[in-house]
Amino acid sequence: MPSFATEVKNELVRASTRKTCCQNAELAALLRMGASMTIGPAMNLGLNFVTENAAVARRVLQLLKANGQVKPEVTVSRAKRLKKNNSYFLRVAPSPQVRPLMESLGMLGDNEGSVGHDKGLLRRQCCRKAYLRGAFLGGGTVNRPEAKAHLEFVANSYPFANTLMQVLKKMDFPVGITDRKNNYQVYMKDGEEIMDLLAMLGAPKAVEQLEVARNLREVRNQVNRLVNCETANLQRTVSASVAQVQAIHQLKSRGELDKLPPKMAEMARLRLAEPDASLSELGEMLGISRGAAANRLRKIMSLADSSPGEVK
Ligand SMILES: [Zn+2]
């Protein structure tokens, strides 16, 4: 079964990107996540992109073809071991056309791989969404709906991670950044915000799955709260009753039970007969209020405590 992150990516690649501006923004982010440049004869540049996700490979291929300047080829390397995924290699052989493509995507210039050039790609809101989608497709991951909410973009350079963080912050998403194993992670931990982001990027089915899981979790918590509350009430009733029964036995052993006023004697006998009953139930059996029942039991307790003949 594919992971939830893979399912999200499979859904995201179906999001339509008709506008050229957005296609370039998405492609730029995708290539930043997983591409490397090669240098061929006459200093011509080439491009390699590797991914384990077939849908992502198709998306990069489609975007490169839409761009129209270069001719990509794909090869698949089959997984040699079980539980390992196939790898998809996209290769654009070194050619004079690669340089202008890289330049238009902001990947060349004074500082190769820097993201200062992405400002142009990120000017419009539509393009910023496409850029984030490309980044998620290239290096994003998200926990399955039953697990703790967590989504992250794994970038291999700080400037790129920082750009992602700025774009997300500009859209009011609460994000954090951390580093691990030479990579930078831009992460989100709020379930609702993650749903909003995935909806914006074009994965409504994934959002639905997250919603179902969230609702189930809420119902389960509610049931747990009710059960805990009932258990606590029951516990209180039982421990109060144990003390009352002890007090009544004390009065009885001292021969004081029969000397009680009739209403209190009646209550004492009823408590002995019904040790599990709540105050309301006792009150009901005697045709009095819960408060009156509580009052009589309190008096019985204090009589047992304070009687002169008491031996401790
Ligand atoms: Zn756009």
Side-chain angles (χ1 to χ4, degrees):
M1 222 176 86
S3 70
F4 182 62
T6 302
E7 278 179 47
V8 172
K9 290 180 190 181
N10 292 346
E11 192 182 0
L12 285 180
V13 296
R14 291 194 292 270
S16 76
T17 4
R18 294 241 172 77
K19 288 196 257 178
T20 312
C21 61
C22 298
Q23 288 175 348
N24 282 337
E26 187 177 325
L27 183 60
L30 263 165
L31 294 181
R32 287 233 193 297
M33 282 294 199
S36 55
M37 272 186 252
T38 58
I39 299 180
M43 295 302 278
N44 279 330
L45 291 178
L47 194 62
N48 287 338
F49 182 87
V50 190
T51 174
E52 290 187 352
N53 184 315
V56 170
R58 260 201 311 280
R59 183 72 159 192
V60 176
L61 196 62
Q62 181 196 336
L63 290 169
L64 280 171
K65 282 187 171 164
N67 189 278
Q69 301 178 54
V70 295
K71 289 193 185 66
E73 307 152 14
V74 195
T75 51
V76 183
S77 100
R78 298 247 164 244
K80 291 193 183 75
R81 272 177 289 169
L82 280 175
K83 289 191 179 173
K84 284 278 179 182
N85 299 319
N86 293 341
S87 290
Y88 301 84
F89 290 91
L90 267 88
R91 184 167 173 268
V92 180
S95 68
Q97 291 79 32
V98 175
R99 189 177 291 273
L101 169 69
M102 296 289 97
E103 271 165 2
S104 71
L105 297 179
M107 294 183 75
L108 288 179
D110 35 19
N111 182 6
E112 198 173 285
S114 95
V115 272
H117 299 273
D118 285 0
K119 285 201 182 104
L121 293 167
L122 295 171
R123 209 167 287 136
R124 299 184 206 175
Q125 175 80 357
C126 61
C127 298
R128 289 196 283 269
K129 287 181 197 171
Y131 191 85
L132 289 175
R133 181 165 53 235
F136 189 84
L137 286 172
T141 181
V142 56
N143 279 359
R144 65 200 159 80
E146 305 76 35
K148 217 172 131 211
H150 187 92
L151 178 147
E152 70 182 30
F153 297 85
V154 183
N156 51 22
S157 82
Y158 179 76
F160 184 43
N162 190 42
T163 302
L164 289 174
M165 188 166 73
Q166 297 311 327
V167 173
L168 285 161
K169 275 190 174 166
K170 209 170 187 172
M171 295 172 165
D172 286 328
F173 286 109
V175 286
I177 189 165
T178 177
D179 63 315
R180 174 183 346 117
K181 288 190 226 158
N182 304 324
N183 282 320
Y184 297 88
Q185 293 83 36
V186 177
Y187 60 85
M188 289 171 56
K189 289 183 175 297
D190 183 301
E192 298 294 315
E193 301 286 352
I194 289 172
M195 283 190 249
D196 284 353
L197 176 67
L198 290 177
M200 186 189 83
L201 298 184
K205 275 189 201 145
V207 174
E208 220 175 273
Q209 277 177 270
L210 288 166
E211 270 171 353
V212 168
R214 179 197 59 192
N215 293 346
L216 267 179
R217 221 168 11 241
E218 272 172 12
V219 169
R220 202 174 309 134
N221 287 345
Q222 226 166 2
V223 169
N224 281 345
R225 261 198 303 278
L226 275 178
V227 169
N228 288 344
C229 187
E230 261 170 39
T231 313
N233 279 342
L234 198 62
Q235 197 60 48
R236 255 197 306 278
T237 305
V238 169
S239 40
S241 169
V242 168
Q244 289 154 5
V245 169
Q246 260 172 2
I248 296 163
H249 277 303
Q250 240 169 15
L251 290 173
K252 202 174 172 184
S253 69
R254 299 198 302 248
E256 292 170 18
L257 190 58
D258 297 328
K259 295 176 198 155
L260 289 175
K263 280 181 182 173
M264 280 166 65
E266 181 188 38
M267 174 52 92
R269 278 187 211 98
L270 184 61
R271 175 42 102 195
L272 288 182
E274 304 278 355
D276 295 334
S278 68
L279 287 175
S280 322
E281 286 165 339
L282 292 175
E284 227 168 87
M285 290 176 209
L286 295 175
I288 58 177
S289 71
R290 178 187 181 282
N295 213 15
R296 286 182 199 179
L297 280 165
R298 230 179 344 257
K299 276 186 194 157
I300 291 173
M301 302 272 290
S302 75
L303 277 175
D305 266 356
S306 64
S307 278
E310 183 182 350
V311 181
K312 271 203 172 168

Coordinates of all heavy atoms in Angstrom, one line a residue, residues 3 6 11 26 33 68 89 136 158 239:
S3 N 2.2 4.9 0.8 CA 2.1 5.8 2.0 C 1.1 6.9 1.7 O 0.8 7.2 0.6 CB 3.5 6.4 2.4 OG 3.8 7.4 1.4
T6 N 2.6 9.6 -0.5 CA 2.5 9.2 -1.9 C 1.1 9.4 -2.5 O 1.0 9.9 -3.6 CB 3.0 7.7 -2.0 OG1 4.3 7.6 -1.5 CG2 3.0 7.3 -3.5
E11 N -2.3 12.6 -6.0 CA -3.5 13.4 -6.2 C -3.0 14.8 -6.7 O -3.7 15.4 -7.6 CB -4.3 13.6 -4.9 CG -5.6 14.2 -5.1 CD -6.4 14.4 -3.8 OE1 -6.0 14.1 -2.7 OE2 -7.6 15.0 -4.0
E26 N 6.2 25.8 -10.6 CA 6.1 24.5 -10.1 C 7.4 23.7 -10.5 O 8.0 23.0 -9.7 CB 4.9 23.8 -10.6 CG 4.7 22.4 -9.9 CD 3.4 21.7 -10.3 OE1 2.4 22.4 -10.5 OE2 3.5 20.5 -10.4
M33 N 14.3 20.7 -5.7 CA 14.2 19.6 -4.7 C 15.0 18.4 -5.1 O 15.6 17.7 -4.3 CB 12.7 19.2 -4.5 CG 12.0 20.1 -3.6 SD 12.6 20.0 -1.9 CE 11.3 20.7 -1.0
G68 N 9.0 23.2 -23.5 CA 9.2 23.1 -25.0 C 10.6 23.3 -25.4 O 10.9 23.1 -26.6
F89 N 14.6 7.9 -13.4 CA 15.7 8.9 -13.8 C 15.2 9.7 -15.0 O 14.9 9.2 -16.0 CB 17.0 8.2 -14.2 CG 17.7 7.6 -13.0 CD1 17.4 6.2 -12.7 CD2 18.6 8.3 -12.2 CE1 18.0 5.6 -11.6 CE2 19.2 7.7 -11.1 CZ 18.9 6.4 -10.8
F136 N 6.4 20.4 -2.6 CA 5.9 19.2 -1.9 C 6.1 17.9 -2.7 O 6.5 16.9 -2.2 CB 4.4 19.4 -1.5 CG 3.9 18.3 -0.6 CD1 4.1 18.4 0.7 CD2 3.3 17.2 -1.1 CE1 3.7 17.4 1.6 CE2 2.9 16.1 -0.3 CZ 3.1 16.2 1.1
Y158 N 19.8 25.8 2.6 CA 19.1 26.7 3.5 C 18.4 27.8 2.8 O 17.2 28.1 3.1 CB 20.1 27.3 4.5 CG 19.4 28.2 5.4 CD1 18.6 27.7 6.5 CD2 19.5 29.6 5.2 CE1 17.9 28.6 7.3 CE2 18.7 30.5 6.1 CZ 18.0 29.9 7.1 OH 17.2 30.8 7.9
S239 N -17.2 5.4 47.7 CA -16.4 5.6 48.9 C -17.2 6.4 49.9 O -17.0 6.1 51.1 CB -15.1 6.4 48.5 OG -15.3 7.3 47.6

